[in-house]
Amino acid sequence: MSTIAYTWDEYIALNEKLVANVAESGWEFDSLLCLSRGGMRPGDFFSRVYDMPLAIMATSSYREAKGTVQADLNIAKYITGCEELTGRVLLVDDMVDSGVTIREVIGHLKASHPKITEIRVAVLWWKGHSVVKPDWYVEYFEDCPWISQPFETYDSLGKDGIIDLVKKKEAAK
């Protein structure tokens, strides 16, 4: 499996383009929901640009082998950041990989939030083997590479590692 690594600047540009794609479509949404953890950064861009609250739903399937192996999907019972999802919902995540998470979350939302009238999906990356096609995406990958996001360098750093990193940067000033 190939790996594609993104810099912070590239990652920011992808988020800006995703928000612009949705804005250019003219589709208006009443509620903004992101999936944690991957959708929190793109969701934050939408929240700031649209000046609206960001609801967050915790989901987890990549828990094994330091987040590289997909397991059973867990969907949080509660959503933070909003009282109730209503009307048209923009669901934001970093990617649609297998599509299982998005498909299951959409089903869960429709079953547990009867005031939702429509759900559309916006992601940075869409992979070719997905069972779901997002409404908006920035990059499509037919060959399904591993995507390395710039903040993933912190995953294996640990507390001592971050202290050392900060000290080295301060010493280099």
Side-chain angles (χ1 to χ4, degrees), residues 99-171:
V100 171
T101 298
I102 295 292
R103 183 184 65 201
E104 295 296 318
V105 165
I106 289 172
H108 171 81
L109 291 171
K110 287 179 177 178
S112 58
H113 298 274
K115 292 185 179 179
I116 292 176
T117 58
E118 183 179 5
I119 301 171
R120 293 195 188 180
V121 177
V123 298
L124 302 173
W125 301 286
W126 172 36
K127 293 186 180 182
H129 63 224
S130 174
V131 296
V132 172
K133 180 182 179 185
D135 298 282
W136 296 276
Y137 60 93
V138 180
E139 293 184 339
Y140 171 75
F141 294 107
E142 182 66 40
D143 58 347
C144 307
W146 181 260
I147 295 172
S148 178
Q149 299 180 51
F151 44 83
E152 290 177 3
T153 58
Y154 300 103
D155 288 352
S156 59
L157 207 53
K159 294 181 283 185
D160 293 335
I162 195 72
I163 291 168
D164 291 343
L165 177 68
V166 170
K167 286 180 179 179
K168 286 177 187 174
K169 287 183 177 184
E170 288 173 352

Side-chain angles (χ1 to χ4, degrees), residues 5-58:
Y6 290 86
T7 66
W8 277 107
D9 287 343
E10 291 167 333
Y11 181 76
I12 289 168
L14 288 169
N15 279 275
E16 291 169 345
K17 187 167 184 183
L18 181 62
V19 175
N21 288 346
V22 174
E24 287 176 338
S25 77
W27 188 71
E28 297 291 331
F29 49 93
D30 305 301
S31 298
L32 175 60
L33 173 66
C34 73
L35 301 182
S36 73
R37 291 186 307 187
M40 292 177 72
R41 288 173 186 88
D44 185 57
F45 275 79
F46 278 99
S47 177
R48 291 173 187 279
V49 170
Y50 280 85
D51 191 26
M52 64 187 311
L54 176 62
I56 302 168
M57 173 183 265

Side-chain angles (χ1 to χ4, degrees), residues 74-99:
N74 289 334
I75 299 174
K77 184 176 179 180
Y78 299 103
I79 297 172
T80 62
C82 73
E83 291 184 26
E84 185 175 13
L85 294 175
T86 61
R88 295 165 298 195
V89 175
L90 179 62
L91 177 59
V92 181
D93 203 358
D94 56 350
M95 73 180 76
V96 174
D97 190 343
S98 68

